[in-house]
Amino acid sequence: MATKEQYEAALSKAERAGLGSLDKQQLELVQKLYREAGSRGNRARKVIDGK
């Protein structure tokens, strides 16, 4: 199980540098956030969906 900080770091990196810059573990964390309700889930959906 990842920590809150690990989720936040992966999401921030994806927002700044794009999904291509993430390693496999970070990409999996962002994909898990995608399914979450709330602000982190919204941010992950924006990164993945490109909106």
Side-chain angles (χ1 to χ4, degrees), residues 5 13 20 23 25 30 33 36 40 42-45 47:
E5 290 78 18
K13 186 175 180 182
D23 61 29
Q25 181 183 10
V30 173
L33 288 175
E36 262 190 18
R40 287 192 308 171
N42 290 339
R43 289 170 54 203
R45 286 186 286 281
V47 169

Side-chain angles (χ1 to χ4, degrees), residues 10-34:
L11 184 54
S12 294
K13 186 175 180 182
E15 289 174 327
R16 281 191 327 271
L19 291 174
S21 67
L22 302 179
D23 61 29
K24 184 178 179 181
Q25 181 183 10
Q26 290 171 325
L27 184 58
E28 288 172 359
L29 293 177
V30 173
Q31 289 173 334
K32 286 180 185 177
L33 288 175
Y34 185 91

